[in-house]
Amino acid sequence: MEKKKIVIIGAGFSSLSASCYLAKMGYDVTILEKNKHVGGRAQQLHKDGFVFDMGPTFYWMPDVFDKFFNDFGKTTNQYYQITKLDPGYEVYAGVMNSICIAANFDTIVKTFEDKEKGSGKKLKSFIADAEENYHLAIKDLVYQPGENIFEIITPKTALKVGAFFSNIKSQVAKYIKHPELKQILEFPVLFLGAKPETTPGFYNFMNYADLKLGTWHPNKGMHQVAVGMANLAEELGVEILCEENITNINLQDNKVTSVATLNDTYTCDVLLSGADYHFTETLLPKKYRQYSEKYWNSKTFAPSALLFYVAFDKKIANVSHHTLFFDTDFSEHAKSIYDTLTWPEKPLFYASFPSITDDYFAPKGKEAGTFLIPIAPGIEDTPEIREHYFNIIIKRLEKITNQSIAPFVTFKESYCVNDFKEQFNSYKGNAYGLANTLLQTHILRPKLKSKKISNLYFTGQLTVPGPGVPPAIISGEIVSELIYKNK
């Protein structure tokens, strides 16, 4: 019997994940990727002996990656190696005033206690609740397809109802008073794409992932994870074709028959899009689109980002592999992203210096730095604006870490809203997808299966479970099971 053909648009984490599960289920799977590389946003820039992860840099929730490879009788270290970072990251609150988050939880408890008497015990209590939520989320909730509310209303979640209707900001405030410690507990929800005050308290499970499971580094960077997943996919029989830009989805009645690229036409029994959800629907006649422009415009999107990839002609002192610069007002910056939709006056920013850990990223005695400012999606993006913000963060970096840096910049590249739109057809140039607010959780997110086209499915950060690399991998597994169930 001939295998059913599945075409997948895009080779990001969710698509690579789905392709593996679908191939294992016996489907004939082809991935069509617009760009030259696999991994979507997890691409790399190579220049003059320097290497930069251009997209995600944090490797959190290692158990999700382990589960993925284990499902195929494999382990992660057959495809890439990971190292636990110590410190996991460092947070600056002012000039030469930083807190290091150690790899060991007991050390973190002591760090909190040293800053605020009594907070060590309170942190343990907070993380115990976060751990409960993590196991509940990972075992019972995030692997659900979001088809009906009773997937997540269970006897266990009923006991946690208060956590869904409270928010991270108020929850953290019940335990911790010190402003710098509060910021450390509030920052992980930025990975979910929303403000602490609009993110349900249940999502404190990100704090367990952060402080207990730790921060890891895949040797040679996050792109290696995507390469490992692509290698597994090909071992399972998946065909991955890069530089295949989708131009049309061909329909007969309410069914996809094939997709056209600039090079060829590919017939399929099922079409799965791991590309931007909104973009995919623009390839359909209006009557077959589930969500209107008004719908997308009304949603709370996770931030976009202004990124700089910078080569330094010396090693940078007083920083860690992951360093957060929270020396300005967290809530004011958040307002610029979610409320006023403007460029921030005094931006928080994040820096990654992977060459501290991994020689692959820079020549000996030099440093590779990636800098990220979270910004509102869809705002104006010009070379002049980029340059203005580069100067701001380099001056701040010099002042806060007490060293001369600007004269040692040998080159820089930038990436922002216009690039996300052009390269990934990303709605408003968002970087992370649709924010995980209460009104955009589970069944309130765009559906994995089209309601109007019988054999069209979606996966990735705009659908369930949400933004981030581990959720993208999970999304691929969920949608593959849905396709199999509906065969």
Side-chain angles (χ1 to χ4, degrees):
M1 188 174 159
E2 195 177 341
K3 290 181 174 182
K4 276 194 173 181
K5 284 186 180 177
I6 295 183
V7 166
I8 301 178
I9 305 174
F13 286 108
S14 57
S15 293
L16 291 170
S17 169
S19 75
C20 292
Y21 286 105
L22 290 165
K24 185 183 175 189
M25 291 166 179
Y27 292 100
D28 176 352
V29 184
T30 300
I31 293 176
L32 303 176
E33 167 55 51
K34 175 190 176 189
N35 297 298
K36 292 180 180 178
H37 65 275
V38 298
R41 287 162 169 76
Q43 59 187 325
Q44 282 187 329
L45 170 65
H46 293 250
K47 186 174 177 179
D48 299 347
F50 290 85
V51 180
F52 304 88
D53 268 332
M54 296 181 72
T57 54
F58 268 81
Y59 189 99
W60 271 3
M61 301 168 71
D63 49 327
V64 172
F65 296 88
D66 290 343
K67 179 197 176 301
F68 170 76
F69 284 98
N70 293 167
D71 283 348
F72 303 94
K74 306 286 186 178
T75 60
T76 52
N77 63 17
Q78 288 174 268
Y79 295 89
Y80 57 89
Q81 311 301 311
I82 60 172
T83 306
K84 193 170 192 182
L85 297 179
D86 193 8
Y89 55 91
E90 183 173 1
V91 183
Y92 269 97
V95 176
M96 293 302 287
N97 170 21
S98 72
I99 298 173
C100 283
I101 298 302
N104 177 279
F105 182 64
D106 289 337
T107 307
I108 298 170
V109 170
K110 185 178 183 308
T111 298
F112 270 61
E113 187 64 29
D114 290 346
K115 277 278 180 186
E116 179 187 327
K117 193 165 175 55
S119 69
K121 186 177 179 184
K122 288 177 180 175
L123 178 66
K124 283 184 177 179
S125 175
F126 177 77
I127 294 299
D129 179 63
E131 182 173 4
E132 266 184 37
N133 290 344
Y134 186 85
H135 293 304
L136 181 56
I138 291 299
K139 287 181 182 146
D140 296 351
L141 303 183
V142 296
Y143 286 91
Q144 301 296 337
E147 293 193 295
N148 73 74
I149 192 67
F150 293 105
E151 292 169 3
I152 60 168
I153 297 179
T154 67
K156 286 180 186 173
T157 59
L159 298 172
K160 294 279 184 180
V161 69
F164 286 96
F165 291 97
S166 66
N167 65 66
I168 290 288
K169 192 172 187 72
S170 63
Q171 191 182 68
V172 166
K174 286 177 187 172
Y175 289 86
I176 303 294
K177 302 296 177 233
H178 194 286
E180 291 166 33
L181 300 180
K182 275 184 179 177
Q183 282 193 331
I184 288 166
L185 295 180
E186 288 175 3
F187 116 82
V189 303
L190 292 178
F191 289 97
L192 301 170
K195 291 191 290 189
E197 55 266 45
T198 58
T199 303
F202 181 77
Y203 285 104
N204 70 6
F205 66 72
M206 292 293 290
N207 295 110
Y208 169 76
D210 168 9
L211 303 182
K212 269 289 188 78
L213 298 181
T215 303
W216 300 73
H217 170 71
N219 295 359
K220 298 187 177 179
M222 284 296 289
H223 181 63
Q224 292 306 308
V225 180
V227 169
M229 292 174 71
N231 289 342
L232 172 59
E234 289 178 333
E235 288 165 25
L236 292 163
V238 176
E239 185 177 24
I240 301 173
L241 302 175
C242 291
E243 296 185 89
E244 286 285 3
N245 192 0
I246 303 289
T247 56
N248 201 46
I249 296 173
N250 301 315
L251 304 173
Q252 193 170 334
D253 299 325
N254 69 333
K255 195 170 183 182
V256 178
T257 54
S258 63
V259 292
T261 70
L262 292 171
N263 303 320
D264 210 342
T265 298
Y266 298 85
T267 59
C268 59
D269 297 299
V270 173
L271 178 63
L272 169 60
S273 179
D276 182 272
Y277 204 124
H278 167 266
F279 166 74
T280 305
E281 289 216 318
T282 65
L283 298 175
L284 302 169
K286 275 195 174 174
K287 68 174 182 175
Y288 290 114
R289 297 176 196 173
Q290 304 168 90
Y291 304 107
S292 65
E293 288 297 320
K294 186 179 176 185
Y295 169 89
W296 290 112
N297 203 39
S298 71
K299 294 291 144 189
T300 300
F301 272 79
S304 186
L306 170 55
L307 292 135
F308 295 103
Y309 313 107
V310 189
F312 297 99
D313 197 20
K314 70 166 186 175
K315 297 303 282 183
I316 307 295
N318 304 325
V319 292
S320 296
H321 181 132
H322 296 298
T323 308
L324 298 154
F325 294 87
F326 282 4
D327 54 305
T328 63
D329 193 309
F330 186 91
S331 60
E332 281 303 309
H333 188 143
K335 275 183 199 168
S336 77
I337 298 172
Y338 298 104
D339 302 335
T340 59
L341 310 183
T342 53
W343 281 92
E345 275 187 46
K346 296 176 180 175
L348 308 172
F349 66 97
Y350 154 72
S352 170
F353 302 98
S355 43
I356 289 173
T357 305
D358 191 339
D359 293 340
Y360 175 74
F361 285 88
K364 190 172 174 61
K366 302 178 190 293
E367 204 86 88
T370 295
F371 298 84
L372 182 153
I373 301 173
I375 57 173
I379 59 175
E380 185 184 13
D381 169 18
T382 67
E384 294 75 22
I385 291 171
R386 295 187 190 195
E387 191 64 20
H388 171 71
Y389 280 92
F390 181 73
N391 291 330
I392 286 175
I393 63 175
I394 289 298
K395 282 176 188 166
R396 286 248 303 281
L397 182 64
E398 289 183 317
K399 182 182 176 185
I400 292 164
T401 63
N402 192 29
Q403 64 193 305
S404 173
I405 289 173
F408 299 93
V409 173
T410 56
F411 72 78
K412 71 174 187 295
E413 303 274 347
S414 64
Y415 200 96
C416 197
V417 170
N418 293 343
D419 302 296
F420 283 110
K421 287 179 184 173
E422 189 279 325
Q423 195 175 6
F424 300 114
N425 300 303
S426 172
Y427 183 74
K428 292 187 178 179
N430 80 81
Y432 307 106
L434 208 53
N436 259 340
T437 62
L438 180 61
L439 296 178
Q440 292 180 177
T441 295
H442 192 249
I443 62 163
L444 301 175
R445 296 181 73 79
K447 299 296 183 204
L448 290 168
K449 184 180 190 307
S450 171
K451 295 173 282 191
K452 297 191 174 183
I453 296 173
S454 63
N455 62 341
L456 174 60
Y457 294 80
F458 299 86
T459 187
Q461 59 188 13
L462 290 178
T463 182
V464 292
V469 177
I473 292 171
I474 292 166
S475 185
E477 180 180 353
I478 300 168
V479 78
S480 62
E481 288 172 356
L482 197 59
I483 290 168
Y484 188 75
K485 188 178 89 174
N486 292 327
K487 66 180 179 179

